[in-house]
Amino acid sequence: MKYIIVTGGVMSGLGKGITAASIGRILKNKGFNVTAIKIDPYINIDAGTMSPYQHGEVFVLKDGGEVDLDLGNYERFLDIELTREHNITTGQVYQTVIEKERRGDYLGKTVQIIPHITNEIKERTRKVAKRSGADICIIEVGGTVGDIESMPFLEAVRQMHSEESKEDIVFIHVTLVPLDAQGEQKTKPTQHSVKELRSLGLQPDVIVARCKEPLHEDTKSKIALFCDVPASAVVSAHDASDIYYVPTMMEKEGLSEYLVQKLKLSPKDNAHEWDVFMKKMASIDREIRVAVVGKYAHLGDSYISINEALKHAGIECRCRVRTDWINAEDFEKKPASIDLLQKYNAILVPGGFGARGTEGKILAIKYAREHNVPYLGLCLGMQLAVIEFARNVVGLKDANSTELAKTEHPVIDLLPEQENIKNMGGTMRLGNYEAILKENSLASKLYGSSTLIERHRHRYEVNPKYIPQIEAKGMKFTGRNDHRMEIAEIPGHKFFFSSQFHPEFRSRPGKPSPPFLAFMKAALD
Ligand code: GLN
């Protein structure tokens, strides 16, 4: 097993996750099987309880793991499927160590950060890496070097460095090279950050410098000199117009060549898929506008996977997707403002929790249905589509979800078996579930199959009691998992497709998610 440890310096938000994912991709393009682990030094056990306001999107894995959004980047860039163990948090590590202590596993010893916590970190990391069956495992240490929280993790990877043979482990440090008022590239923050890293016993092999413009040769030499790395191992990671250009940039900087030598690997060309995708991306000649009507409208990070899925689908159609994030509450405050949806080719309502903004989203769905505008509803976006239909077509005026309001007509509700789960602490239906698709439906057409598997993250369901009434009026539930409705569509509409699952999590560059692709095609039509 080869390990590539990615740390970050100077400040957060440098795009370390994209860097790590891109490094993975250039190695995949050289024929290696690459996996990735994200270490998050926070105390939370997982990202499931974290607000998208604070932390961006919660990414959902096939096994139901609710994880940091960087795992989404890894899955997309590497075209792999990860499991929850690939996101290691301080909370998990301490929980395990404390459980072991209670069981008496430490035989009366004083349990300490070194060696007990660090051993646990190393053990976990190695186990996950080996179990993946990959050739190379990228380990991204979250946070910035110098943070108190990440110390035990940095100490653990330091120990790994002395335990693994030299050709099996590489350290990559991602830093920032800012410009001064004269536009000169400044290396001091990088020098300081590497100094900090060294004080912890870590010497980077490669420095990836985030900067506005490509690093000048003399900036590279200066970093090389001060930080003790060869100039060929100073990589310029300048701003790119799209994240999918980053692997190409790193390849051009000679990074894969450097890593292949350093790790004594034998590469073979495997870049075909990526090249095809890049070519499609370069041949974009159209643009469409999509309105995403949501709650965290001002925060792109809360909907990364949807953004990427739209982009993947757009690129497949050679078109740029201009997405406007519209705050659903604006429609509630000024219902007449719904007309601003006129300028869009398509409307999407994403997943969400809680009542805020839902009436505004329902207005947007009504607009899409009545004006024959392509509509894609994801999770809550399906539940609200059912509510809108029940209210305005079936005539159940106060139809609603019991999550959102008290109602006579709970068309969306907890199923009886979930009531119990809720009382036991409120778990969600998470991860992969199958749906059986109706013949001749839009669903079976766009998936090209009679079944599908997609990822879920929800509690509430379409109430089976109302299905006959709703279907009689023309909304069809064309994907089902037993008594759970997975897809609601309206035949005859230009494109009206909504799912209880989240197809965005499985979309990949070059392999767009079927509903997103069909949505895009309908929008272009
Ligand atoms: N809040 C809804 C539920 O729990 C929808 C969840 C979602 O959109 N992810 O069922």
Side-chain angles (χ1 to χ4, degrees), residues 104-282:
D105 290 8
Y106 296 115
L107 308 171
K109 291 211 180 79
T110 309
V111 181
Q112 294 177 300
I113 293 184
I114 304 173
H116 301 99
I117 293 291
T118 48
N119 281 351
E120 179 62 32
I121 294 168
K122 288 187 294 179
E123 212 173 286
R124 258 172 200 256
T125 314
R126 288 182 168 127
K127 203 166 74 194
V128 175
K130 301 231 160 82
R131 202 183 285 157
S132 74
D135 310 310
I136 301 168
C137 179
I138 298 187
I139 302 169
E140 180 191 346
V141 184
T144 307
V145 168
D147 295 348
I148 290 182
E149 286 88 347
S150 50
M151 292 293 184
F153 293 102
L154 293 171
E155 168 59 17
V157 292
R158 185 196 67 75
Q159 293 171 17
M160 274 176 79
H161 182 252
S162 54
E163 291 160 10
E164 299 288 332
S165 53
K166 293 291 159 275
E167 69 239 32
D168 285 345
I169 188 162
V170 158
F171 281 80
I172 298 183
H173 192 53
V174 184
T175 71
L176 175 72
V177 172
L179 298 176
D180 69 7
Q182 283 73 44
E184 200 185 315
Q185 296 180 334
K186 306 306 283 182
T187 64
K188 195 70 83 188
T190 300
Q191 293 177 37
H192 277 290
S193 162
V194 170
K195 206 165 134 195
E196 181 93 43
L197 201 58
R198 282 188 180 150
S199 73
L200 302 171
L202 294 165
Q203 165 64 38
D205 300 294
V206 175
I207 300 216
V208 174
R210 290 282 295 110
C211 42
K212 266 207 130 47
E213 302 287 333
L215 278 193
H216 306 314
E217 279 315 310
D218 56 333
T219 314
K220 278 191 179 179
S221 327
K222 206 163 163 191
I223 293 176
L225 179 67
F226 279 102
C227 304
D228 241 339
V229 295
S232 62
V234 181
V235 173
S236 170
H238 35 280
D239 289 354
S241 59
D242 193 281
I243 53 172
Y244 296 120
Y245 291 126
V246 178
T248 313
M249 182 192 298
M250 302 211 152
E251 184 58 47
K252 279 198 188 129
E253 289 283 300
L255 183 57
S256 77
E257 216 177 286
Y258 182 86
L259 292 173
V260 159
Q261 275 179 22
K262 176 99 193 144
L263 294 169
K264 299 211 166 38
L265 294 161
S266 338
K268 59 173 191 293
D269 182 40
N270 182 39
H272 181 69
E273 257 185 25
W274 191 254
D275 291 344
V276 170
F277 173 68
M278 295 312 292
K279 281 211 184 83
K280 283 182 187 160
M281 204 159 140

Side-chain angles (χ1 to χ4, degrees), residues 350-354 378-381 383 401 403-404 412 414 418 428 456-461 500 502:
F353 294 85
L378 308 174
C379 207
L380 183 65
Q383 298 176 353
S401 162
E403 177 191 8
L404 311 173
I412 306 294
L414 291 173
Q418 276 166 301
M428 279 195 269
H456 297 68
R457 185 176 189 242
H458 68 112
R459 277 193 193 91
Y460 292 80
E461 305 273 354
Q500 191 56 80
H502 291 270

Side-chain angles (χ1 to χ4, degrees), residues 382-415:
M382 163 171 146
Q383 298 176 353
L384 298 176
V386 172
I387 293 169
E388 190 280 318
F389 196 85
R391 284 186 193 173
N392 301 320
V393 182
V394 182
L396 306 170
K397 286 292 166 244
D398 82 327
N400 216 325
S401 162
T402 48
E403 177 191 8
L404 311 173
K406 274 211 163 65
T407 168
E408 284 282 298
H409 294 293
V411 293
I412 306 294
D413 200 0
L414 291 173
L415 295 179

